[in-house]
């Protein structure tokens, strides 16, 4: 929201120190993001009066002008403008002047004749044809009395002559304060923050030209979407340009002047925060305004020239035959104000904010009006805004206002009241603030406080403060106006000690372990697009492509919630490759989202990690996973070769499971994925929640063994088709109670090993808790084990 201090000065006495004003407003919650001095980029440009115009002696299209620039000084200026005549009053950029855009003017010779400056057009002063409607668009700006202002004297700074002396504050207004999207709303805030008196003039509409009730009827069919509809009418309209003061205020506020009728509605929009719409009443069929939902398939051309297909959930303003406006968004081309318009109907209504937002988004046409309606406006303001528009019509002399107004107001809201005590608010703020001071602050923002100092007080909330709902909101008003910087810091007394949940502890532990392996944490979006799944070679019909669609996505590439985090890892690795990083190891604790029929989606927490560097291969990655499992007390993990996973190399991939519970998958990325990443990369995606569910209970201390262990090394011949994991599992199963450990230490293929066979060697550890084992006991266990291995898996001792 842009606020002109010239405009603000109509309601309060604006402090001279603009920086202090901006700081105070920011500290009280009205954040000032920018301070701009209009005309500040213009220097040494004054008003001049042309005394003489002669032909340039050496150029057919140039003339030499003698110009009075005030203080008895005349300058000679060479120009090619054709609209300069003796007696004309024009802006003159003197030697050393500066124009908008940083352009500087220096004296110099043009075709041998000294030119001591430049005559300026409105474009060179940063203005447009709408700002200066009476100016010649192809020539020099000539001051004229048509603009309703006296012709300035020579030497007058051009900022003063063109009313460009203004300062604008640009505010960031939060969604809960739509009342501050108006000059009056910000004037209230400024008066409250600075302790100033607010002077809001009383409206005076003379009217006296017939009755609006005899001309138009208004009915609201859908009161849930329209709380109030107020209409006033003006006849014998004279459409033309607005006076300069109105054009300048609109321009300072960021709006383009158009014509007096449209400018009036925009002026009221900015002043009151209440959107208005003006209809050419001759285009309203049957003299009737009907507020209703659109009919299926109804089409209307809006003011931007686009044909809009409407749906039954959209609210429209219709006449007896067709829609003439999309309620709260934009008017229709069929009732547009033109130069031939004779009778104007002003609409000042209050529409349901959610409905306006949905309609604006569906039609892709966000407007100043819709952005205000969607935040929720004060229904009591519609009549005052309509009266203000009629008052401006009379002030500008552009029409005759009819008596009265039509006001469809089905349900008048009741004023809210909030009970509170001064003691409670002081305790809430943490500082003793006297009751009379609290009352003063609340009344400064428009509340009426009743009751005694000692007992319960009641604040009657103004209709424009929809954000004040509970006594804590009143406490916030008191605190911000008292000044957060004045509140003394105190130590909070608490008997509670915050602790991490088991899930949070596990997450931090996993991150610490992965960082210990050398991985760096990354943070990526939870959104995904089909191109992400293409990146990891996911088949077109794969179920993981059917993620949760986002209703209002940032773009096509972020149109759904991700079902796997592997694409995020692959894209991050690809960025590291493009940045010429020789190695990259990345991890993320990533959430994926999986649709559930008739219920909320399932959210899974995953550990995704991987990368490319010297020393990272399939077995190193497997070692990292095994360490994670050990640290989280997950036992009996089984690693099964996986040849059909789309994202991984068919011969270098494995699944991890524990007692039939799927934990995850890891391995080298598929060659097509590695080609897209431009590196041979390895990755793993583990279901963190599933892994934790398989963890053993909290470990207990076990003393060191009292008796020595006995080891045996076995080299076994196996078929190539038998996985090592199956062999190790069988050894643990049939090794007996005395077997405490089994470790693979060698796999050999080559000389003395038959074709299609391999040698796998294990180191077995046997131990008893109550005695020292003998060789005979161990040999019996080994013999039984070898017999079982031969019968079950066809293994023989090498």
């Amino acid at each position: 929201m842009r606020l002109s201090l010239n405009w603000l000065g109509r309601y309060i006495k604006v402090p001279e120190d603009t920086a202090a004003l901006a700081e105070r407003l920011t500290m009280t919650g009205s954040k000032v993001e920018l301070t701009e001095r209009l005309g500040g980029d213009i220097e040494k440009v004054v008003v001049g009066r042309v005394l003489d115009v002669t032909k340039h002696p050496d150029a057919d299209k140039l003339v030499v002008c003698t110009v009075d620039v005030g203080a008895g000084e005349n300058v000679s200026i060479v120009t090619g403008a054709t609209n300069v005549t003796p007696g004309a009053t024009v802006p003159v950029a003197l030697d050393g002047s500066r124009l908008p855009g940083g352009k500087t003017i220096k004296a110099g010779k043009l075709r041998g004749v000294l030119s001591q400056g430049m005559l300026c057009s409105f474009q060179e002063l940063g203005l447009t044809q709408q700002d200066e409607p009476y100016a010649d668009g192809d020539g020099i700006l000539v001051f004229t009395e048509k603009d309703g202002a006296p012709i300035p004297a020579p030497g007058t700074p051009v900022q003063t002559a063109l009313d460009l002396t203004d300062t604008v504050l640009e505010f960031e207004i939060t969604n809960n304060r739509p009342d501050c999207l108006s000059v009056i709303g910000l004037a209230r805030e400024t008066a409250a923050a600075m302790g100033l008196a607010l002077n809001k003039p009383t409206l005076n509409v003379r009217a006296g030209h017939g009755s609006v009730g005899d001309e138009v009827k208004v009915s609201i069919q859908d009161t849930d979407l329209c709380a109030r509809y107020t209409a006033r009418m003006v006849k014998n309209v004279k459409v033309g340009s607005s006076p300069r003061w109105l054009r300048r205020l609109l321009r300072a506020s960021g709006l383009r002047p158009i014509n007096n009728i449209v400018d009036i509605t925009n002026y009221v929009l900015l002043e009151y925060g209440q959107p208005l719409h003006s209809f050419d009443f001759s285009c309203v069929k049957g003299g009737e305004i009907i507020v209703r939902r659109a009919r299926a398939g109804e089409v209307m051309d809006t003011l931007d020239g686009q044909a809009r297909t409407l749906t039954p959930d959209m609210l429209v303003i219709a006449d007896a035959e067709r829609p003439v406006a999309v309620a709260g968004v934009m008017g229709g081309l069929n009732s547009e104000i033109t130069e031939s318009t004779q009778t104007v109907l002003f609409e000042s209504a209050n529409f349901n904010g959610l409905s306006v937002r949905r309609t604006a988004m569906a039609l892709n046409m966000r407007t100043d009006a819709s952005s205000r309606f969607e935040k929720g406006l004060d229904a009591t303001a519609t009549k005052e805004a309509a009266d203000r528009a009629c008052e401006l019509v009379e002030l500008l002399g552009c029409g005759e206002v009819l008596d009265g107004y039509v006001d469809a107001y089905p349900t008048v809201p009741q004023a809210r009241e909030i009970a509170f005590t001064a003691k409670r608010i002081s305790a809430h703020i943490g500082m003793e603030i006297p009751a009379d001071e609290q009352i003063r602050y609340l009344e400064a923002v428009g509340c009426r406080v009743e009751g005694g100092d000692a007992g319960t007080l009641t604040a009657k909330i103004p209709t424009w403060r929809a954000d004040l709902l509970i006594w804590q909101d009143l406490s916030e008003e008191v605190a911000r106006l008292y000044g957060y910087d004045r509140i003394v810091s105190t130590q909070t007394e608490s008997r509670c000690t915050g602790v991490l949940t088991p899930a949070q502890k596990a997450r931090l532990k996993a991150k610490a372990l992965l960082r210990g392996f050398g991985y760096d944490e990354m943070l990526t979006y939870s959104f995904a697009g089909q191109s992400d799944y293409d990146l990891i070679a996911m088949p077109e019909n794969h179920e993981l492509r059917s993620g949760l669609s986002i209703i209002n996505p940032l773009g096509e590439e972020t149109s759904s919630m991700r079902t796997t985090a592997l694409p995020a890892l692959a894209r991050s690795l690809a960025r590291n490759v493009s940045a010429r990083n020789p190695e990259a190891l990345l991890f993320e604790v990533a959430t994926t989202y999986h649709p559930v029929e008739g219920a909320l989606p399932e959210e899974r927490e995953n550990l995704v990690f991987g990368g490319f560097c010297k020393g990272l291969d399939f077995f190193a990655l497997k070692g990292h996973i095994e360490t994670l499992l050990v640290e989280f007390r997950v036992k009996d993990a089984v690693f099964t070769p996986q040849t059909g996973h789309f994202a991984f190399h068919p011969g270098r991939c494995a699944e991890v499971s524990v007692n039939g519970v799927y934990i995850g998958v890891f391995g080298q990325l598929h060659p097509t994925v590695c080609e897209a990443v431009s590196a041979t990369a390895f990755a793993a995606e583990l279901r963190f929640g599933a892994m934790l569910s398989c963890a053993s209970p909290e470990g207990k201390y076990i003393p060191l063994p009292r008796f020595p262990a006995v080891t045996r090394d076995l080299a076994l011949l196996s078929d190539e088709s038998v996985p090592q994991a199956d062999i190790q599992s069988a050894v643990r199963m049939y090794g007996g109670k005395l077997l405490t450990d089994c470790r693979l230490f060698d796999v050999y293929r080559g000389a003395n090993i038959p074709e299609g066979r391999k040698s796998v060697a294990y180191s077995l550890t046997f131990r008893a808790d109550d005695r020292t084992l003998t060789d005979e006991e161990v040999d019996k266990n080994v013999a039984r084990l070898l017999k079982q291995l031969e019968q079950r898996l066809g293994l023989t001792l090498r």
Side-chain angles (χ1 to χ4, degrees), residues 559-640:
S559 58
S560 65
M561 303 302 292
R562 65 185 176 190
T563 55
T564 173
L566 285 174
L569 175 62
R571 288 199 185 280
S572 298
L573 294 177
R575 278 193 292 271
N576 277 272
V577 172
S578 64
R580 298 185 179 181
N581 287 339
E583 58 182 43
L585 293 174
L586 303 172
F587 81 90
E588 182 178 11
V589 181
T591 302
T592 57
Y593 303 83
H594 305 267
V596 177
E597 185 70 27
L600 292 174
E602 178 189 356
E603 298 184 26
R604 298 176 188 163
E605 200 168 48
N606 300 273
L607 288 179
V608 57
F609 54 96
F612 56 88
C613 73
K614 185 178 180 180
L616 181 66
D617 57 15
F618 177 88
F619 295 103
L621 191 63
K622 180 173 179 285
H624 296 161
I625 295 173
E626 288 175 328
T627 304
L628 281 169
L629 296 175
V630 169
E631 290 296 325
F632 282 99
R633 303 184 311 279
V634 178
K635 300 179 179 179
D636 303 325
V638 176
F639 295 84
T640 307

Side-chain angles (χ1 to χ4, degrees), residues 208-468:
H209 300 281
S211 174
V212 65
D214 297 334
E215 302 291 336
V216 64
K217 294 180 180 179
V218 174
S219 62
I220 303 176
Q221 293 184 0
D222 295 281
T223 56
D224 58 324
L225 301 184
C226 179
R228 189 179 187 184
Y229 193 100
T230 306
R232 293 208 66 159
M233 190 175 292
V234 179
K235 67 180 182 179
N236 296 327
V237 171
K238 301 172 185 176
V239 179
S241 297
S242 300
R244 178 182 289 169
W245 67 265
L246 177 54
R247 300 198 307 268
R248 289 296 182 265
L249 290 179
L250 290 178
R251 185 177 187 274
S253 302
L255 292 184
R256 177 173 56 91
I258 299 175
N259 61 50
N260 48 14
I261 299 299
V262 176
D263 291 351
I264 285 172
T265 60
N266 285 335
Y267 184 92
V268 175
L269 167 73
L270 293 170
E271 186 177 37
Y272 283 82
Q274 170 63 46
L276 299 185
H277 184 65
S278 53
F279 296 100
D280 185 334
F281 190 63
S282 65
C283 301
V284 177
K285 306 296 184 181
E288 185 177 9
I289 292 293
I290 304 171
V291 185
R292 60 171 174 81
R293 281 180 165 85
R295 300 186 179 101
E298 216 164 19
V299 178
M300 186 188 74
D301 292 336
T302 48
L303 286 173
D304 57 2
Q306 299 292 319
R308 309 286 181 177
T309 301
L310 308 176
T311 58
D313 58 343
M314 298 177 182
L315 190 70
V316 297
I317 312 302
D319 59 19
E321 298 179 2
R322 72 273 162 88
V324 291
V326 180
V329 183
M330 188 178 288
L333 203 59
N334 53 17
S335 58
E336 179 185 15
I337 301 296
T338 65
E339 293 182 358
S340 61
T341 297
Q342 293 295 309
T343 304
V344 168
L345 179 74
F346 284 122
E347 166 195 285
S348 181
N350 185 270
F351 301 115
N352 178 277
L354 183 58
S355 171
V356 171
R357 177 171 175 79
R358 286 174 174 170
T359 299
M361 292 177 63
L363 298 178
N364 193 25
M365 47 190 302
R366 186 86 176 271
T367 61
D368 286 333
S370 69
S371 66
R372 283 171 166 80
F373 276 123
E374 68 186 26
K375 294 174 178 62
L377 297 184
D378 178 13
T380 65
T382 61
K383 180 182 179 301
E384 190 175 7
D387 289 344
R388 177 58 166 154
C390 292
E391 183 183 49
L392 289 170
V393 168
E394 293 178 342
L395 179 64
L396 272 55
C398 57
E400 300 172 352
V401 179
L402 273 64
D403 282 330
Y405 56 92
V406 177
D407 191 17
Y409 202 179
T411 304
V412 180
Q414 298 296 316
R416 290 193 312 281
E417 296 183 354
I418 301 176
F420 70 99
T421 64
K423 182 177 180 180
R424 194 174 191 184
I425 285 183
S426 293
H428 187 246
I429 294 174
M431 187 169 181
E432 187 65 33
I433 300 176
D436 58 346
E437 192 172 353
Q438 293 185 25
I439 293 172
R440 188 173 77 251
Y441 291 141
L442 293 176
E443 290 182 341
V445 298
C447 298
R448 285 193 298 116
V449 181
E450 299 175 351
D453 291 348
T456 300
L457 303 173
T458 300
K460 294 187 176 180
I461 309 303
T463 55
W464 62 82
R465 289 302 302 272
D467 60 309
L468 302 182

Side-chain angles (χ1 to χ4, degrees), residues 723-784:
Q724 184 279 139
D726 289 354
I727 299 175
Q728 194 163 9
S729 177
V731 171
R732 292 181 183 276
M733 181 181 298
Y734 302 117
K737 295 180 179 181
L738 299 178
L739 178 67
T740 59
D741 194 18
C742 169
R743 299 194 180 193
L744 174 73
F745 68 85
D746 182 54
V747 177
Y748 174 73
R749 300 173 181 85
N752 301 322
I753 302 297
E755 186 73 21
R757 304 273 283 178
K758 62 184 176 182
S759 170
V760 287
Y762 295 91
S763 177
L764 308 183
T765 301
F766 297 89
R767 190 194 306 272
D769 296 333
D770 56 351
R771 66 187 186 281
T772 300
L773 294 177
T774 64
D775 288 339
E776 289 78 7
E777 289 180 284
V778 174
D779 290 341
K780 288 181 180 179
N781 271 274
V782 171
R784 285 196 301 268

